[in-house]
Amino acid sequence: MFIKENGWKIIGGLLVLYSIIVGLSIQVPQLPIIYESIRNLFYHVSMWFTMTAMFATALIFSISYLRNPLLKKDIAAVEAARVGFFFGFLGLATGMLWANFTWGKPWTNDPQLNGAATALLTYLAYFILRSSIEDQEKKARISAVYNIFAFVLMLVFIGVLPRMAEHSIHPGKSGNPALGVKGLDPRMRLVFYPAVVGWIMIALWIWKIRIRLTTIRQKISEF
Amino acid sequence: MLSNKLFVVIGVIAIIFIGLVGYLFFLDRKTQRLEKELEDFLNEQNKKQ
């Protein structure tokens, strides 16, 4: 019973645990400037993938809310956006630490970095928009529409504009970074993919707990 | 790997991560209890009315 209900949580934890243990102990290609810090790919890039997955989850529930307005869908959408934002923040913070030791300063005016920051601001606006509307149905409807815009803007800011820019020192500009067959060392890919899947599972787990807590609060306020 | 004792650091990080996942399980159960308590309370209130 416990395993049946919680098995996926254990698998998510084990995948991340695997990425920590194997990711820190395997041999990695020694590239100039970054050297061993290339291992950050397993951890820093996973944060961004997880953020995108959670924002996509929020998008699905926002669209679903507009088709059939149920309060629980609105809760699912906003909580997914909150968890996604948290992972995005971790992505920025880890990126700044890595940048400090690779490019000499935590923030370079690189299109990828500015795009990522703007994408997070887009979602910050989503939370502010929500908190500014009192009426629950109105809040849910307007923020669901905005959330669709926010997702598209996020994709443009972190996926399209940086690739169109002439100069970017941030890697991963040609093809699908980290996803393509070319470009990533096969041994590293064996750690990176499980890390991404594991972190997404943990994010979904946190998301589920947040939904339940918000539902409890909702029930109390209705009482 | 064995001589530079990096495995000790990996072990420490692994223990911290396992601890965090365990804590998440604890929060999960706590939420479950809270859900049940609220459900019981609401049922009781409905009966009184």
Side-chain angles (χ1 to χ4, degrees):
Chain A
M1 201 60 189
F2 177 82
I3 292 291
K4 205 176 173 187
E5 277 172 24
N6 300 300
W8 63 278
K9 299 168 186 170
I10 297 168
I11 291 170
L14 286 177
L15 285 175
V16 176
L17 190 64
Y18 160 85
S19 80
I20 290 172
I21 295 171
V22 179
L24 290 175
S25 50
I26 54 163
Q27 291 283 321
V28 289
Q30 297 288 318
L31 301 177
I33 303 173
I34 52 176
Y35 300 108
E36 294 286 346
S37 82
I38 196 170
R39 296 178 200 274
N40 273 344
L41 173 96
F42 308 136
Y43 315 110
H44 162 74
V45 185
S46 311
M47 296 297 108
W48 292 109
F49 274 60
T50 310
M51 178 200 77
T52 314
M54 291 320 288
F55 284 166
T57 310
L59 173 78
I60 290 167
F61 278 93
S62 280
I63 293 172
S64 168
Y65 178 84
L66 291 173
R67 295 172 70 110
N68 182 17
L70 294 172
L71 182 63
K72 62 174 184 182
K73 290 179 181 172
D74 179 56
I75 293 176
V78 65
E79 294 306 341
R82 288 212 174 106
V83 177
F85 190 87
F86 174 69
F87 278 92
F89 178 77
L90 288 179
L92 268 193
T94 53
M96 281 168 76
L97 181 65
W98 199 3
N100 199 26
F101 289 95
T102 311
W103 303 324
K105 49 187 176 181
W107 200 271
T108 56
N109 272 325
D110 186 88
Q112 183 80 59
L113 276 63
N114 289 336
T118 319
L120 282 184
L121 287 177
T122 312
Y123 277 88
L124 201 60
Y126 169 71
F127 302 128
I128 294 168
L129 175 73
R130 288 186 64 88
S131 64
S132 67
I133 305 172
E134 285 284 330
D135 182 63
Q136 199 157 53
E137 262 176 54
K138 212 173 175 184
K139 174 197 285 200
R141 192 156 29 87
I142 294 173
S143 67
V145 173
Y146 178 80
N147 196 21
I148 297 170
F149 278 109
F151 187 78
V152 176
L153 283 175
M154 187 272 293
L155 286 186
V156 171
F157 282 135
I158 68 173
V160 181
L161 289 181
R163 287 175 199 204
M164 291 169 67
E166 284 184 15
H167 293 290
S168 177
I169 43 171
H170 191 286
K173 286 292 167 296
S174 51
N176 287 313
L179 278 180
V181 184
K182 285 180 284 182
L184 183 61
D185 185 86
R187 283 166 302 173
M188 288 185 69
R189 219 176 296 141
L190 276 178
V191 179
F192 176 65
Y193 293 159
V196 170
V197 175
W199 279 114
I200 289 175
M201 284 165 118
I202 285 178
L204 290 173
W205 184 8
I206 298 171
W207 172 57
K208 291 233 167 226
I209 294 177
R210 289 201 63 123
I211 289 175
R212 287 158 68 192
L213 288 173
T214 311
T215 310
I216 290 170
R217 197 207 273 157
Q218 183 66 32
K219 279 183 182 165
I220 292 173
S221 68
E222 275 171 6
F223 177 67
Chain B
M1 183 64 193
L2 282 174
S3 59
N4 61 18
K5 292 201 177 175
L6 176 63
F7 70 93
V8 184
V9 180
I10 298 172
V12 167
I13 299 172
I15 288 171
I16 292 173
F17 180 72
I18 292 168
L20 281 175
V21 170
Y23 190 67
L24 212 46
F25 264 113
F26 167 76
L27 287 179
D28 208 337
R29 296 240 335 250
K30 203 174 156 125
T31 312
Q32 208 171 348
R33 275 201 300 273
L34 198 60
E35 277 170 339
K36 206 179 162 313
E37 263 175 47
L38 182 67
E39 210 57 50
D40 291 347
F41 175 75
L42 291 176
N43 285 338
E44 224 169 88
Q45 294 294 317
N46 283 339
K47 265 184 214 160
K48 274 184 193 169
Q49 279 173 2

